[in-house]
Amino acid sequence: MGSDSTHPGWRRGFWSLMATQFQNAFSDNALKNLVILLVMARQVPGPERNANVALAGAMFAAPFILFSMFGGWLADRFSKQRVMSTVKQAEIAIMLFAALALSLHSLPLELSAVFMMGCHSAIFGPSKYGILPEVLPHDRLSWGNGILELLTFLGIILGTVAGAFFAEALAGVPGVAGLILAGLAVLGWLCSRQVTPVPPAAPGRPLPLNPAAELWKQLAVMRQDRDLWRANWGNVGFFFVAALVQMNLLLHAKDVLGLAETKSGLLSAALALGIGLGSVVAGFASRGRIEYRLVPLGALGLALSTIPMGMAGVGVVGFSFALAALGFSAGFFIVPIAAVLQHRPSAESKGAVQGAANLLSFVGILAASGVQWVATEQWHLGTGQVFWVCGACAMLTGAYAAISRGRFIRAE
C-alpha cells in the first residue's frame, strides 16, 4: 500500500471497522460482567463465589484456545469483511439466547451464553486485526492501531460499566439486558457491512484439521522473525496482566474500597480514559512507523502505577488516578506490539498468524483466571498485593518484548 492519495476510500471502511469493533468489545464485556456480578450477588460462601467468578472468566477465554486457529483460517480463506459480517449475524442469535438464559436465572445457561460469545469473538478476532493493514495505508498503521486499541479497551471498560449498570438497574428483569445487547448486535452487523471489502488472501488454503499442529506451524513462522516472535509473547503477557487487573479490580472495589457495582464501574471508566489517551498518544508518537521504544516505557509505567494500588489506606480518588496511569501506560505498551503482529507477516499468512496470536493471548487470559484463584485462595494474598503481581509481570513482559530491538520498525 502507498500513501493516503492511493486510498481515497479507506476512511469509510476504517471507521466502519472501528464502530464494529467497539460494539463487539462493549457487548462481550457487558454480558460477561453482568454474569459475573449476578454470580457475586448470589448468597454463596466466599470461596465458591471467587471460584465462580474465575469460572466465568475461563468460560469466555476457553473458546479462544479452541477456535482461534479456525478463525485464522477463515480470515485467509475468505474475505475478512465477509467473515466479520457473518459472525455479527451469529451474535444476534447468541444474545437472544443470553436474554433467555438471564430471564431463567440459570447459571449453566448464562455461562453457556458467555462461552458462545467467546466462540464468536475467537472467530471474529483474526479478521478484525488482519484486515487493518489491508484497509489502511502503511504509514497510518500505528495511528490506526492507536484508534483500534482506544476503541477496543474503551468498549471493554464501558461494557464492564454497562454490565454493572444492568446488574443493578435490571436486577429483577436481567433478560431485558440480553434484548438490549441483541439490538446492539444488529447495529454491529450493519456497521460490518460497510467495512471495505477485500479479496481472500489465500483462497486455496486447506482447513487445518489439527489445530495444535497448525499452531506449532505458525509459531515456527514467527520464530524466524525476531520482532514478530517477541511481539507475540509480549502480546500474551499484556493480555495476562490486563485480564488479571480487570478480574482483581471487581473484587478489590467491593471487598476493600466498599463500592457498589455502579460505583466500581466508575473505576473502570478511569482505566478506560487512561487507555484511550495512551493509545492515541502512542499512535501519534509513532509518526508513521512502529515505535518500539514505547514498549519498555509502557511496561515501566504499568509497574509503577500498581504500587499505590496495592498500598493500604489509598482512597477511591488516589486509586482512580493510579488506574488512569495504568491505562495510559497500557496504551503505550500494546500499540507498537499490535502493529508488529499485523505488519510483519506475509499477506497470505496474516490471518493465520493473528489466529495463533489470538489463541495464545487467551491462554494468557485463562492463566490469569487461575492465578487470581491461586493468589487469593492458596497464597492468601490480598487484592492489593495481586496488583503488585500484575506490575512485576508487566516489567518482565516489557523487558522480554523490547530486548535487542532498536529504535523503531519502519511500516513499509
Side-chain angles (χ1 to χ4, degrees):
M1 292 186 181
S3 64
D4 288 4
S5 62
T6 63
H7 297 269
W10 67 265
R11 288 178 175 82
R12 178 179 178 181
F14 171 75
W15 288 111
S16 296
L17 174 62
M18 295 301 101
T20 305
Q21 169 57 10
F22 175 79
Q23 178 274 321
N24 188 75
F26 177 92
S27 296
D28 274 356
N29 288 274
L31 178 63
K32 181 178 70 171
N33 196 44
L34 172 59
V35 171
I36 287 174
L37 291 172
L38 291 176
V39 167
M40 293 176 67
R42 291 184 169 103
Q43 298 301 314
V44 297
E48 182 180 346
R49 180 203 65 175
N50 293 345
N52 285 336
V53 168
L55 178 61
M59 290 294 287
F60 184 74
F64 288 83
I65 298 172
L66 297 173
F67 300 116
S68 284
M69 299 308 299
F70 177 63
W73 173 76
L74 287 174
D76 289 332
R77 175 66 177 78
F78 302 100
S79 166
K80 296 177 180 66
Q81 184 274 336
R82 181 182 172 190
V83 172
M84 289 190 291
S85 181
T86 303
V87 168
K88 299 310 290 182
Q89 286 179 303
E91 183 187 353
I92 300 171
I94 293 170
M95 286 305 186
L96 290 174
F97 174 82
L100 175 63
L102 291 164
S103 297
L104 295 175
H105 303 280
S106 169
L107 180 59
L109 291 180
E110 290 166 355
L111 292 176
S112 296
V114 171
F115 179 83
M116 286 190 287
M117 275 305 293
C119 295
H120 152 278
S121 295
I123 295 172
F124 182 82
S127 291
K128 166 190 70 181
Y129 283 111
I131 200 174
L132 197 59
E134 298 181 43
V135 300
L136 274 179
H138 279 320
D139 59 2
R140 292 274 187 150
L141 187 57
S142 287
W143 171 83
N145 269 289
I147 302 297
L148 178 65
E149 298 303 334
L150 160 64
L151 293 176
T152 297
F153 286 97
L154 195 61
I156 289 171
I157 302 305
L158 292 180
T160 302
V161 174
F165 173 79
F166 291 152
E168 186 169 306
L170 303 173
V173 285
V176 174
L179 294 177
I180 293 171
L181 293 174
L184 291 176
V186 173
L187 293 178
W189 170 66
L190 292 174
C191 290
S192 72
R193 290 170 56 85
Q194 302 303 314
V195 176
T196 306
V198 296
R205 185 174 207 151
L207 174 65
L209 299 178
N210 186 339
E214 179 66 13
L215 174 61
W216 188 259
K217 176 183 175 182
Q218 297 307 322
L219 285 174
V221 170
M222 294 183 197
R223 190 69 182 264
Q224 296 172 10
D225 185 321
R226 179 193 61 183
D227 293 323
L228 188 58
W229 179 252
R230 293 188 181 278
N232 171 63
W233 293 111
N235 189 61
V236 174
F238 174 82
F239 279 95
F240 167 82
V241 171
L244 190 53
V245 166
Q246 189 177 10
M247 283 187 293
N248 194 57
L249 181 60
L250 290 172
L251 299 173
H252 190 80
K254 183 171 184 177
D255 296 345
V256 177
L257 298 178
L259 298 178
E261 283 82 358
T262 49
K263 290 188 177 179
S264 67
L266 295 177
L267 293 180
S268 297
L271 180 60
L273 290 174
I275 291 173
L277 182 59
S279 297
V280 172
V281 170
F284 279 104
S286 298
R287 300 182 299 279
R289 59 197 185 194
I290 301 170
E291 183 56 80
Y292 229 65
R293 289 177 297 186
L294 299 179
V295 174
L297 284 176
L300 179 61
L302 281 165
L304 293 177
S305 61
T306 62
I307 294 175
M309 293 168 64
M311 295 174 63
V314 174
V316 174
V317 174
F319 190 85
S320 298
F321 276 108
L323 267 179
L326 184 145
F328 185 87
S329 303
F332 266 51
F333 187 100
I334 194 59
V335 164
I337 284 179
V340 170
L341 288 172
Q342 295 160 5
H343 171 66
R344 300 293 288 188
S346 65
E348 297 77 18
S349 64
K350 287 186 187 297
V353 168
Q354 287 295 332
N358 223 24
L359 186 158
L360 292 171
S361 70
F362 275 85
V363 170
I365 291 174
L366 189 59
S369 296
V371 169
Q372 175 72 46
W373 181 80
V374 170
T376 56
E377 299 302 322
Q378 300 297 313
W379 297 346
H380 304 292
L381 297 182
T383 52
Q385 293 171 310
V386 175
F387 286 124
W388 291 344
V389 173
C390 295
C393 291
M395 280 295 293
L396 292 173
T397 300
Y400 176 80
I403 193 169
S404 74
R405 160 45 46 196
R407 294 172 59 190
F408 59 85
I409 302 170
R410 293 192 182 277
E412 299 174 342

